[in-house]
């Protein structure tokens, strides 16, 4: 089984190839270029370096969201294009789940935090337990599904557990001071080589989902946003303002007609 994975949900652009239980290649960059400039060239370079015939790939795993709206659209479009061209399924991997999988086997609770702006984070709570099926050493259990909340809310939820927590993600440097103020249980920060999105983690978790039959066609795939984009929020506010102005005008006209 060959899984080609891509992740452009955040600051990192990443592509990886996994065959059975072996990682063949990973290409990750976090620099000043846009994902539209880097993602496909990464895939092409992996194919060139390992002499990969894309037709032999079984599925395309993609970090499906949440994350950067532009990054998610680029990743989704790339995955859909590959799926259509190769006639292969897409394995959608929730972004926060993929981040948590970086901490595979951790004894502590795992809490990825991605900076969602407006004082919010994309986050979730996870733990690793013995795999009851025996197929893998550990099974990742989702205690709280990925969501968009304030850091205060997720820290309050973590404080309800009598367990240490590992934080990771690009939200860590943004909320590091708040952690010291809000956390009442012990916590640590993931090491730098495990602190950001990785297509290798998307491939590894994607292979688990693939074996479980969790996949979709290129037609059916769409990013998971969790929140409206800034443009959509502004448009909603404009529409609300227009409705309020219209209602106010109608009330004034009714008032004038009753005199």
């Amino acid at each position: 089984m060959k899984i080609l994975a891509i992740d452009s949900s955040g600051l990192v652009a990443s592509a990886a190839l996994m065959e059975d239980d072996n990682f063949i290649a990973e290409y990750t960059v976090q620099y000043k270029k846009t994902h539209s400039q880097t993602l496909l060239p990464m895939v092409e370079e992996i194919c060139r370096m390992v002499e990969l015939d894309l037709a032999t790939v079984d599925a395309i795993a993609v970090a499906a969201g949440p994350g950067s709206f532009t990054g998610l659209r680029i990743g989704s479009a790339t995955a859909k294009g590959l799926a259509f061209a190769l006639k292969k399924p897409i394995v959608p991997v929730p972004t926060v789940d993929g981040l948590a999988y970086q901490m595979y086997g951790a004894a502590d609770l795992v809490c990825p935090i991605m900076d969602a702006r407006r004082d919010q984070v994309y986050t979730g709570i996870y733990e690793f337990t013995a795999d009851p099926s025996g197929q893998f050493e550990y099974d990742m259990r989702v205690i709280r599904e990925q969501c968009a909340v304030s850091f205060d809310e997720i820290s309050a939820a973590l404080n309800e557990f009598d367990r240490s927590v590992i934080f990771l993600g690009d939200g860590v440097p943004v909320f590091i001071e708040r952690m010291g103020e809000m956390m009442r249980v012990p916590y640590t920060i993931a090491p730098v080589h495990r602190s950001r999105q990785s297509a290798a983690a998307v491939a590894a978790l994607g292979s688990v989902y693939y074996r479980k039959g969790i996949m979709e066609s290129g037609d059916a795939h769409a990013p998971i946003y969790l929140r409206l984009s800034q443009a959509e929020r502004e448009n909603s506010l404009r529409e609300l303002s227009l409705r309020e102005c219209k209602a106010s005008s109608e009330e004034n006209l009714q008032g004038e007609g009753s005199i």
Side-chain angles (χ1 to χ4, degrees):
M1 176 184 63
K2 289 182 184 177
I3 301 288
L4 178 66
I6 55 176
D7 190 333
S8 59
S9 59
L11 299 175
V12 172
S14 186
L17 177 67
M18 180 178 181
E19 183 172 6
D20 298 325
D21 292 324
N22 298 313
F23 273 106
I24 308 302
E26 182 181 15
Y27 194 155
T28 298
V29 170
Q30 182 178 332
Y31 196 59
K32 300 175 182 178
K33 295 181 179 179
T34 64
H35 296 333
S36 60
Q37 293 175 292
T38 56
L39 201 58
L40 271 177
M42 286 179 178
V43 172
E44 291 170 354
E45 181 65 9
I46 285 176
C47 292
R48 187 186 70 81
M49 288 293 291
V50 304
E51 300 176 348
L52 173 68
D53 179 359
L54 279 173
T56 65
V57 167
D58 294 291
I60 312 299
V62 61
S68 156
F69 287 87
T70 301
L72 290 178
R73 290 187 182 108
I74 292 169
S76 175
T78 302
K80 289 168 77 75
L82 289 168
F84 287 136
L86 302 173
K87 296 181 174 58
K88 304 293 182 179
I90 290 176
V91 180
V93 176
T95 302
V96 182
D97 293 20
L99 260 174
Y101 213 66
Q102 292 268 72
M103 295 290 105
Y104 182 86
D108 298 338
L109 292 179
V110 177
C111 182
I113 53 173
M114 298 169 60
D115 184 16
R117 308 295 175 88
R118 297 191 302 146
D119 205 37
Q120 285 194 322
V121 290
Y122 296 126
T123 187
I125 303 175
Y126 305 81
E127 70 173 349
F128 290 92
T129 58
D131 182 10
S133 71
Q135 187 175 9
F136 304 98
E137 186 174 359
Y138 296 101
D139 179 55
M140 187 173 76
R141 188 169 80 89
V142 181
I143 297 175
R144 179 166 181 168
E145 291 186 354
Q146 61 178 22
C147 54
V149 297
S150 68
F151 180 78
D152 291 5
E153 182 175 334
I154 196 64
S155 61
L158 290 166
N159 286 333
E160 295 178 2
F161 296 90
D162 187 22
R163 293 178 62 179
S164 298
V165 179
I166 299 176
F167 287 106
L168 72 157
D170 61 29
V172 168
V174 178
F175 292 96
I176 190 72
E177 292 185 7
R178 193 84 64 85
M179 286 180 196
E181 298 168 358
M182 301 297 300
M183 294 300 296
R184 301 290 177 263
V185 295
Y187 66 90
T188 56
I189 306 301
V192 64
H193 64 292
R194 288 288 179 266
S195 64
R196 295 292 187 270
Q197 284 93 330
S198 164
V202 172
L205 188 53
S207 70
V208 175
Y209 291 167
Y210 182 83
R211 291 185 178 106
K212 293 179 178 180
I214 302 173
M215 61 190 83
E216 59 193 8
S217 67
D219 280 329
H221 175 69
I224 304 167
Y225 292 119
L226 289 188
R227 282 191 344 192
L228 294 175
S229 68
Q230 181 176 348
E232 289 169 324
R233 291 195 301 270
E234 291 175 352
N235 188 53
S236 295
L237 288 173
R238 282 195 295 270
E239 290 180 353
L240 177 61
S241 178
L242 288 171
R243 286 198 297 269
E244 289 176 346
C245 288
K246 182 179 179 181
S248 177
S249 298
E250 290 175 348
E251 288 177 2
N252 291 336
L253 288 172
Q254 291 172 358
E256 289 174 2
S258 62
I259 293 175

